[in-house]
């Protein structure tokens, strides 16, 4: 089902450290997943995606891991920078439909 | 333009007034979506347009909400008789036909007094 969070969980990391943001998705039939980054006052920005036939995908400084057994998705950011400070949303898509279901988001704060 | 654009960027209105929000999708993107994002929360799906197919309006919260799209271009989201609980950021996204990856605009921040 759809999740709506009342309070955003926050992850605070030191600049230069690696960040791991977690997401529990709701539907075992979901076959496509996306991570979005949303900076204050802006719309969500696509970061990376992964299909259910994969368990890992790497981009530039980011890696997405998918564990279908426990319906868990994570986003790893290497060498976190101040510009990475934002709210991060995972989204799932079922049966190649058009409707993305968004998680409630995690706020990442990077300490200088 | 290179991305999805929305206007106005901010809108303040009085309770009971109607508002119209505009979205210009990425050129060539046949699919267009509207979402609502309340403060500190995730995105709620409102409506989906794909080409000339009938839109999926299943996410519209009440009959005060409606949306139109002209062909495969501009879309407008109209909220009639606005209420304070309509205050939110309204986000538009577009995607290529057959692609699940949605690209978002900057949103319209609506405040109903």
């Amino acid at each position: 089902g759809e999740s709506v969070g009342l309070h955003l969980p926050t992850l605070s990391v030191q600049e230069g450290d690696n960040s791991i943001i977690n997401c529990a998705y709701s539907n075992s039939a979901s076959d496509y997943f996306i991570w979005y980054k949303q900076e204050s006052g802006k719309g969500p920005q696509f970061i990376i995606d992964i299909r259910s036939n994969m368990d890992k995908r790497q981009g530039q400084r980011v890696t997405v891991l998918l564990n279908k057994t426990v319906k868990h998705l994570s986003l790893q950011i290497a060498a976190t920078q101040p510009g990475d400070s934002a709210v991060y949303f995972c989204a799932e898509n079922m049966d190649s439909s058009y409707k993305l279901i968004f998680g409630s988001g995690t706020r990442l704060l990077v300490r200088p | 333009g290179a991305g999805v654009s929305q206007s106005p960027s901010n809108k303040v209105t009085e309770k009971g007034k109607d508002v119209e929000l505009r979205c210009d999708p990425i050129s060539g993107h046949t699919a267009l979506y509207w979402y609502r994002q309340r403060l500190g929360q995730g995105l709620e799906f409102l409506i989906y347009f794909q080409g000339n197919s009938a839109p999926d309006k299943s996410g519209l919260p009440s009959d005060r909400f409606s949306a139109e799209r002209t062909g495969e271009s501009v879309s407008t989201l109209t909220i009639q008789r606005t209420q304070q609980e309509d205050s939110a950021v309204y986000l538009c996204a577009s995607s290529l036909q057959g692609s699940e990856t949605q690209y978002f605009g900057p949103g319209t921040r609506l405040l109903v007094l």
Side-chain angles (χ1 to χ4, degrees), chain A residues 4 32 36 38 41 51 98, chain B residues 37 41 56 100-102 109:
Chain A
V4 177
Y32 179 68
Y36 284 95
Q38 188 174 27
R51 297 200 175 276
Y98 50 81
Chain B
Q37 185 177 31
Q41 297 191 15
D56 177 353
E100 301 106 322
T101 307
Q102 298 178 23
R109 282 143 195 82

Side-chain angles (χ1 to χ4, degrees), chain B residues 23-45:
Chain B
C23 171
D24 286 85
I26 294 171
S27 179
H29 282 196
T30 58
L32 187 147
Y33 316 74
W34 283 98
Y35 293 86
R36 179 171 68 180
Q37 185 177 31
R38 291 198 164 109
L39 185 64
Q41 297 191 15
L43 281 68
E44 300 172 67
F45 168 81

Side-chain angles (χ1 to χ4, degrees), chain A residues 15-33:
Chain A
E15 180 179 358
D17 287 352
N18 296 334
S19 302
I20 300 176
I21 300 171
N22 296 305
C23 177
Y25 62 92
S26 58
N27 197 318
S28 57
S30 293
D31 56 7
Y32 179 68
F33 306 87

